[in-house]
Amino acid sequence: MAGYWNRPDETAKVMYADGFFKSGDVCVMDERGYTKIVDCKKDMILVSGFNVYPNEVEGVVAMHPGMLEVAAVGVPDEHSIEAVKLFVLLRDPMLTEDVLMSYCKENLTGYKRPKYIEFRADLPKMNVGKILRRELRAPAAK
C-alpha cells in the first residue's frame, strides 16, 4: 500500500519509514513459522499490564452450553487500567451471572476473567454479522 489517497496525515499514522503498512492486527507465529491473525490491536484489553485478547475470552465463554453469543471489551478500571466486560446473549434463560462467573473462573486465567457481565437481547453488528465492539465499548466507558 502506498498510502491513503490525498491523506498524508493518515498515511503517516499507518506506514513505517521503510514502507511497511501497520495493519493493527495482532498475530502469532507457531513453531513451523506460520502466522495467524488472532485479534485487532485496537480491541486488545490491557489488564494490569497484561494483554487480553477479546477473541480468546469470547472463544472460551462461547463454549458454555448456555451461551448463544458473547462479546468481550475493555472498560476503564481504577485498579487495573482496564477490566474485561462481557456482553452476552443467552441460549439458556436460566443461566445466571454467578454461574457464568464460576465457569470463567474455572476456564480463564485470573487477569482474563470478566469483572462485569451484561445480559442483552441483541448485540450491535455490521451487515456481515461481525459484532461492533466499539459500540459496546463507548457506553461502557461513560
Side-chain angles (χ1 to χ4, degrees):
M1 170 172 144
Y4 292 110
W5 180 254
N6 292 330
R7 302 287 308 271
D9 55 330
E10 291 299 316
T11 299
K13 293 177 187 174
V14 298
M15 299 297 287
Y16 288 103
D18 58 5
F20 282 92
F21 175 63
K22 301 175 193 176
S23 69
D25 294 316
V26 177
C27 302
V28 294
M29 185 179 292
D30 68 16
E31 62 280 349
R32 296 174 298 168
Y34 292 104
T35 57
K36 177 180 173 183
I37 297 173
V38 294
D39 223 325
C40 181
K41 188 173 182 181
K42 289 183 271 182
D43 291 337
M44 189 172 52
I45 304 166
L46 187 60
V47 179
S48 297
F50 293 99
N51 296 336
V52 178
Y53 301 104
N55 283 341
E56 181 182 357
V57 175
E58 292 166 358
V60 170
V61 176
M63 296 302 291
H64 189 286
M67 294 297 304
L68 185 59
E69 267 187 302
V70 59
V73 301
V75 296
D77 185 76
E78 62 185 41
H79 302 291
S80 62
I81 304 171
E82 287 185 301
V84 177
K85 180 173 182 177
L86 297 181
F87 294 87
V88 299
L89 275 67
L90 298 177
R91 172 173 285 125
D92 176 4
M94 302 306 288
L95 183 63
T96 66
E97 183 175 343
D98 290 338
V99 169
L100 195 52
M101 284 289 200
S102 293
Y103 176 81
C104 291
K105 187 174 183 177
E106 292 172 18
N107 293 283
L108 291 167
T109 304
Y111 67 90
K112 295 179 183 180
R113 293 180 198 143
K115 190 169 183 179
Y116 310 102
I117 297 176
E118 183 177 318
F119 296 100
R120 312 250 342 235
D122 62 356
L123 294 172
K125 295 181 183 175
M126 299 174 129
N127 57 0
V128 294
K130 183 178 177 186
I131 295 171
L132 293 168
R133 288 189 187 123
R134 70 178 177 270
E135 289 190 17
L136 294 171
R137 204 173 13 253
K142 291 181 182 173

